[in-house]
Amino acid sequence: MTDAAPYFSVRADPDAVLARSALAASPSLRLQLGDVAADLVEAHTILHDGTVVLAVDPMTPTGGLLVAARGRPGAVRLDVTQLVPVAVRSRVWARVHVLGTSHRFDPGILDTCDSDTIMPLLDLPPVALWAVEPVEVGLARDIGGATVSISAFRTAQPDPLAADQARDLQHLTQCHGDVLDRLATLVDPVLTVGAARVVPVAVDADGIVLRAEAPDRHTDVRLPFAHRLTSLAEGLRMLLAQAARRGSACPPRTTAGAQRTPVAVCDLPKGVCGMSLA
């Protein structure tokens, strides 16, 4: 059974999934111990049960503080900021914090881990590993904040599209403006009045979020997929078919005077990209 299976068999708490996705996909996080904070880059991973593993040299000041904090409930704070992966205003999509209890990582855990868990552990810097057991998880977004239950956080798994979201949305924005024009026909025209462009800012297994950007404001609109997916390309095909059924009644969106970012040529084979209208 793959890690994604629980996400599809039982609908998980969406806040828990977003928190897990942000932690899993982010290349960095901020570690705070009391009044001291340090940014860790390419030095963390998250296990299947929600335990966060950090690679920190115990002989450094930060490592020394981790040693001192061992076993103290909630003494460790981890912060991750999830950014919109394309160039837009207001790029912060979500902020996640975890309060946890740290202890030295037990290598015996590897005996029960699958390869998808072990490989990220092997990619961590070759220093001491620390396990942080979460006791509080919080999520903050523009639409409000939430406290994620620890049980929901532990049982949720990262969204299947989270790992590739940045790459896929950047490729869609840079190389497939024609696809975005078609997708924009599925948005209520009232919401795109005065918008200079429509760009994708987030995607998950249930849908894609488009942002209509005007000079002084923006509006985010979610286009749901017909069912949960593991591929953005499959979701786009569904939405483009929906747009095609609307036919000439809803021609591709254009904005008078709009300045479109020059589109790069997609040099990926169609079978690999899957986002082309051709």
Side-chain angles (χ1 to χ4, degrees), residues 143-169:
I143 59 176
T147 298
V148 180
S149 78
I150 296 303
S151 60
F153 180 77
R154 284 194 173 279
T155 56
Q157 295 302 312
D159 186 90
L161 274 61
D164 297 327
Q165 174 179 242
R167 181 200 66 193
D168 288 347
L169 294 188

Side-chain angles (χ1 to χ4, degrees), residues 17-270:
V17 172
L18 179 55
R20 288 289 298 263
S21 299
L23 277 163
S26 175
S28 65
L29 57 72
R30 171 157 288 195
L31 166 64
Q32 187 165 339
L33 298 150
D35 296 329
V36 177
D39 293 321
L40 305 183
V41 180
E42 303 290 354
H44 82 278
T45 189
I46 186 166
L47 302 184
H48 187 83
D49 67 354
T51 299
V52 183
V53 179
L54 310 177
V56 180
D57 188 341
M59 302 307 293
T60 63
T62 301
L65 290 173
L66 266 175
V67 172
R70 283 181 300 181
R72 289 165 46 200
V76 175
R77 179 181 172 111
L78 308 175
D79 287 281
V80 166
T81 300
Q82 184 182 41
L83 299 176
V84 173
V86 297
V88 292
R89 295 192 309 267
S90 303
R91 288 190 64 205
V92 174
W93 187 252
R95 300 182 191 275
V96 178
H97 80 262
V98 175
L99 298 182
T101 307
S102 65
H103 55 81
R104 289 294 293 268
F105 178 75
D106 178 9
I109 294 175
L110 298 177
D111 294 337
T112 61
C113 293
D114 58 21
S115 60
D116 290 339
T117 301
I118 293 175
M119 293 308 297
L121 286 168
L122 296 178
D123 288 337
L124 294 176
V127 294
L129 299 183
W130 303 85
V132 178
E133 303 292 345
V135 298
E136 177 185 300
V137 178
L139 176 68
R141 300 181 63 188
D142 286 344
I143 59 176
T147 298
V148 180
S149 78
I150 296 303
S151 60
F153 180 77
R154 284 194 173 279
T155 56
Q157 295 302 312
D159 186 90
L161 274 61
D164 297 327
Q165 174 179 242
R167 181 200 66 193
D168 288 347
L169 294 188
Q170 289 167 5
H171 181 74
L172 178 59
T173 302
Q174 294 168 3
C175 301
H176 298 285
D178 53 346
V179 172
L180 291 176
D181 286 342
R182 289 290 181 184
L183 294 180
T185 66
L186 298 174
V187 178
D188 184 343
V190 173
L191 301 178
T192 61
V193 170
R197 64 173 184 161
V198 176
V199 290
V201 292
V203 67
D204 57 46
D206 295 299
I208 187 170
V209 179
L210 302 182
R211 176 169 294 181
E213 279 196 327
D216 58 347
R217 69 186 187 283
H218 66 265
T219 303
D220 290 345
V221 182
R222 183 177 180 83
L223 300 179
F225 300 140
H227 56 78
R228 292 184 172 184
L229 305 173
T230 57
S231 161
L232 173 58
E234 183 181 355
L236 292 179
R237 287 193 291 271
M238 288 182 179
L239 293 174
L240 290 173
Q242 183 179 342
R245 287 193 293 271
R246 292 194 173 192
S248 59
C250 295
R253 175 190 173 278
T254 57
T255 301
Q259 297 296 315
R260 167 173 286 183
T261 302
V263 176
V265 175
C266 176
D267 57 2
L268 295 176
K270 184 178 179 181

